[in-house]
Amino acid sequence: MKGFENEIYRYLLFVSVGISIIMLLVAVWWPRIARVLFFLLFAWAAFTNWQTSQQTPVVYVEYADLVWSSLYKDIINGWFAKHVELVVGFIAICQGMIAITMLLKGIIFRMGAIGAIVFLAAIIPFGVGSGFPTTLIMCIALIIILRKHADDYI
């Protein structure tokens, strides 16, 4: 696996997988608490991605070395490399919106959860760079929350 030879990536991967398994179990037993955890996760991601994209955007181009897909690699090294602040800034705004929807109810929550699933699935090809299989486990946790109809206010 690309990037797995890096000891720091390995450590962070094991931590993120552990956290995602906890989130999955919480989704099974306490879906509303899981929603709070997803709120915290996406709020943190929004803040971190916004800050990083505006201050040191070049770090996102380095993810090209970790992706499994040549299509993703071409996009990252091409158009994306010239527009990191714009693209990651937009992603951060979307992550912030997903975070907010985790606290709401009904169709707004469901749309946010579906958006989160789509986002997490879209970054799976980043491999270690996205914490795979963390992203897949979190998709499953969100699907469980949706299936439990835990879409009322927290």
Side-chain angles (χ1 to χ4, degrees):
M1 180 186 302
K2 291 182 182 179
F4 205 65
E5 64 278 352
N6 183 321
E7 187 175 341
I8 293 171
Y9 282 164
R10 256 193 328 266
Y11 172 75
L12 293 174
L13 179 63
F14 291 130
V15 169
S16 69
V17 168
I19 290 169
S20 68
I21 290 170
I22 290 168
M23 289 179 75
L24 177 65
L25 294 173
V26 172
V28 169
W29 292 315
W30 307 288
R32 289 196 174 120
I33 293 173
R35 287 177 54 189
V36 172
L37 296 176
F38 276 106
F39 163 77
L40 294 171
L41 173 72
F42 276 94
W44 168 77
F47 176 79
T48 301
N49 281 326
W50 181 266
Q51 288 285 103
T52 306
S53 70
Q54 303 307 304
Q55 294 174 0
T56 53
V58 70
V59 299
Y60 292 97
V61 179
E62 294 169 3
Y63 281 100
D65 295 334
L66 301 175
V67 297
W68 301 336
S69 164
S70 60
L71 174 64
Y72 274 55
K73 182 177 272 208
D74 292 343
I75 292 169
I76 292 169
N77 288 325
W79 186 85
F80 175 82
K82 298 177 182 102
H83 302 92
V84 175
E85 296 94 337
L86 175 69
V87 175
V88 180
F90 177 72
I91 289 169
I93 290 168
C94 292
Q95 289 171 324
M97 291 170 57
I98 289 170
I100 291 167
T101 67
M102 292 295 117
L103 301 177
L104 300 176
K105 72 175 198 169
I107 189 136
I108 305 267
F109 161 72
R110 288 190 299 275
M111 288 173 53
I114 291 168
I117 291 166
V118 169
F119 171 76
L120 291 168
I123 63 172
I124 286 173
F126 283 84
V128 172
S130 69
F132 181 80
T134 298
T135 48
L136 182 60
I137 295 167
M138 288 185 178
C139 284
I140 295 166
L142 285 161
I143 291 168
I144 289 170
I145 294 168
L146 286 170
R147 292 187 63 116
K148 286 187 169 268
H149 301 290
D151 60 352
D152 205 359
Y153 285 120
I154 302 293

